[in-house]
Amino acid sequence: MNRLPKRNLLLAGVISIIVIALIIAAVRPKGTSGASPTAPADVMVVQVEQKDVPIYGEWIGTLDGLTNADVRAQVTGYLLRQGYQEGAFVNKGQLLFEIDPRPFKAALDQAEGQLAQAKALLANAQAVQGRTQLDVDRYTPLAKEQAASQQDLDNAVQNNLAAKASVATAEAQIRTDEAAVETAKINLDFTRLVAPIDGIAGQAQLQVGALVNLSSGPVTSVSTVDPIKVYFTVGEPQYLAWRKRFPTESSRLAADKNLRLQLILADGSTYPRDGTFYFADRQVDVGTGAIRLAGLFPNPGNILRPGGYGKVRAVIRLQQGALVIPQRAVSELQGGYQVAVIGADNKVSIRTVSVGDRVGPDWVITEGLNPGERVVAEGIQKVRPGAQVNPKPFGMQAKDK
């Protein structure tokens, strides 16, 4: 009776061992046996390229009109009407505002009346002087023949001199009145506030009905925006390095003329038209150690407006034989830079490198790499020194192949 339970227990243990073995066989991956090594990780690699690359400089730029003109009142009066659309293009001489001209028209009429009166007085003085001159001419021979007294001749001479003085006074009065007429005409013209240049007219700073005078601020402003001017500041060392490359006046002027500027707008897009160098300021800012430069960009359609911001880019030199890899292949660690290099045996080694200028999505490597070497561009988090990897071409290099 005791042997039967023992045999049942033994049978149950054997069955349990078989079940466990079947479970282990079911969950074990097919094609593996025991403790086989892990498969190499897939990584995307690029070859270190050696090529001539343009090195760009980039600076913050501020847009401004090529010419900016404030429109101010030159006479005192009330704004009668506005003759332009704010923000629209206006031509030189186009009416922007009109000041009530009636007081100035009245002043002109008064000045012209005074001028006419002065001319009449001159005519009368000239007539009197002509009559006194006749008396002098008549008494002179008679006095010589003693047919007339010397007193009569002296009186005629004095009267003639007085008449000549009256003529001179009347002529001077005419010149004064002519100046008054001209001043009145100028003041009347000043009631028409016109555009001094072709350009974009800004917002009206004063409205119809406002009283304006010489001390009033600008009524509006007009800016020439085609071409438009872009100011940007360059550090003094960079400016001096550029100038040292072109030591003569002729070479410097040629370099400035051939320099092409790019403008990156506030939305990140690149302006489709290149700009040209315009001028460098006369001095370096003592506070910032930078010098202000300006470029000109074509602006058909007046898309760009003064006051806007952007980035100015320009090729400042050509670095020949530079070693270039994507920026994403470089890791920064405690102020240093490292890349994962793939050897001929597809094993990883971590190498410290020195970096130079950034060129678009790439980085110039100045030390630590050789042309043709392969570096990890994607999947760098999967690798460790000495690890075996499965390299695959990355990005444009894969497409080229």
Side-chain angles (χ1 to χ4, degrees):
M1 295 297 291
N2 294 334
R3 291 179 181 178
L4 183 60
K6 291 180 179 180
R7 188 168 61 180
N8 290 340
L9 289 173
L10 181 61
L11 181 61
V14 171
I15 293 173
S16 298
I17 293 172
I18 294 172
V19 170
I20 292 172
L22 291 174
I23 292 174
I24 293 174
V27 300
R28 178 180 296 172
K30 294 181 180 180
T32 63
S33 61
S36 60
T38 305
D42 292 337
V43 294
M44 311 297 288
V45 301
V46 295
Q47 284 188 332
V48 178
E49 292 186 83
Q50 185 173 29
K51 59 183 180 179
D52 297 341
V53 294
I55 303 302
Y56 285 86
E58 188 172 282
W59 312 274
I60 299 298
T62 306
L63 279 65
D64 196 8
L66 178 61
T67 304
N68 302 302
D70 289 336
V71 179
R72 298 174 180 267
Q74 302 296 314
V75 292
T76 300
Y78 290 94
L79 292 179
L80 192 63
R81 67 186 181 99
Q82 179 176 332
Y84 80 104
Q85 177 65 40
E86 294 170 305
F89 183 85
V90 295
N91 296 306
K92 182 178 180 179
Q94 180 178 334
L95 178 67
L96 303 181
F97 284 93
E98 183 179 17
I99 298 173
D100 188 356
R102 292 174 298 175
F104 304 96
K105 183 62 171 62
L108 175 59
D109 292 340
Q110 182 179 6
E112 289 177 339
Q114 291 175 344
L115 176 60
Q117 184 179 5
K119 289 181 177 179
L121 292 175
L122 174 61
N124 183 64
Q126 288 174 335
V128 173
Q129 193 271 329
R131 187 173 63 252
T132 58
Q133 183 63 46
L134 291 176
D135 291 341
V136 172
D137 294 340
R138 186 173 66 252
Y139 281 116
T140 298
L142 293 176
K144 289 182 180 180
E145 297 176 359
Q146 296 184 352
S149 65
Q150 185 64 37
Q151 184 65 41
D152 292 336
L153 176 59
D154 293 341
N155 290 338
V157 170
Q158 293 300 319
N159 291 336
N160 187 42
L161 292 175
K164 288 181 178 180
S166 297
V167 169
T169 301
E171 290 175 342
Q173 185 62 46
I174 287 177
R175 288 193 292 271
T176 300
D177 292 340
E178 286 176 342
V181 170
E182 186 64 24
T183 300
K185 287 181 178 179
I186 292 173
N187 289 336
L188 183 60
D189 288 340
F190 280 155
T191 61
R192 293 175 53 85
L193 304 182
V194 299
I197 56 175
D198 294 338
I200 300 295
Q203 178 183 356
Q205 301 301 312
L206 296 173
Q207 303 300 318
V208 172
L211 178 65
V212 295
N213 52 47
L214 293 175
S215 61
S216 300
V219 181
T220 189
S221 299
V222 180
S223 295
T224 300
V225 295
D226 185 18
I228 195 167
K229 186 163 48 180
V230 180
Y231 290 110
F232 57 101
T233 55
V234 175
E236 186 179 6
Q238 194 173 40
Y239 173 78
L240 293 176
W242 172 264
R243 290 308 185 202
K244 287 178 181 178
R245 291 174 56 193
F246 309 101
T248 64
E249 182 72 12
S250 58
S251 64
R252 181 181 63 81
L253 293 176
D256 290 344
K257 183 178 180 181
N258 295 328
L259 184 63
R260 289 294 174 264
L261 305 177
Q262 294 179 343
L263 181 62
I264 302 173
L265 303 178
D267 61 357
S269 63
T270 300
Y271 188 63
R273 293 176 172 82
D274 289 343
T276 57
F277 177 78
Y278 187 41
F279 76 89
D281 202 358
R282 69 176 185 86
Q283 68 177 19
V284 175
D285 190 305
V286 295
T288 62
I291 186 170
R292 196 183 201 195
L293 309 181
L296 292 182
F297 285 82
N299 189 27
N302 304 319
I303 302 300
L304 304 178
R305 297 297 178 98
Y309 284 87
K311 294 181 181 179
V312 178
R313 297 178 71 239
V315 177
I316 56 177
R317 72 178 188 277
L318 182 67
Q319 186 165 339
Q320 298 179 339
L323 301 181
V324 179
I325 61 173
Q327 293 182 27
R328 63 190 303 163
V330 181
S331 301
E332 185 175 1
L333 181 64
Q334 296 180 348
Y337 298 91
Q338 296 178 339
V339 296
V341 181
I342 307 299
D345 56 357
N346 291 340
K347 289 188 176 181
V348 178
S349 64
I350 304 300
R351 195 177 299 175
T352 301
V353 297
S354 298
V355 298
D357 295 289
R358 298 175 189 260
V359 183
D362 298 329
W363 218 332
V364 174
I365 303 300
T366 58
E367 291 182 4
L369 292 178
N370 298 310
E373 288 187 307
R374 297 178 300 170
V375 298
V376 177
E378 188 172 300
I380 193 170
Q381 70 278 2
K382 303 177 184 178
V383 303
R384 65 183 187 278
Q388 190 85 19
V389 295
N390 180 28
K392 295 183 178 181
F394 169 77
M396 294 304 296
Q397 291 190 355
K399 294 181 180 179
D400 293 341
K401 293 182 180 179

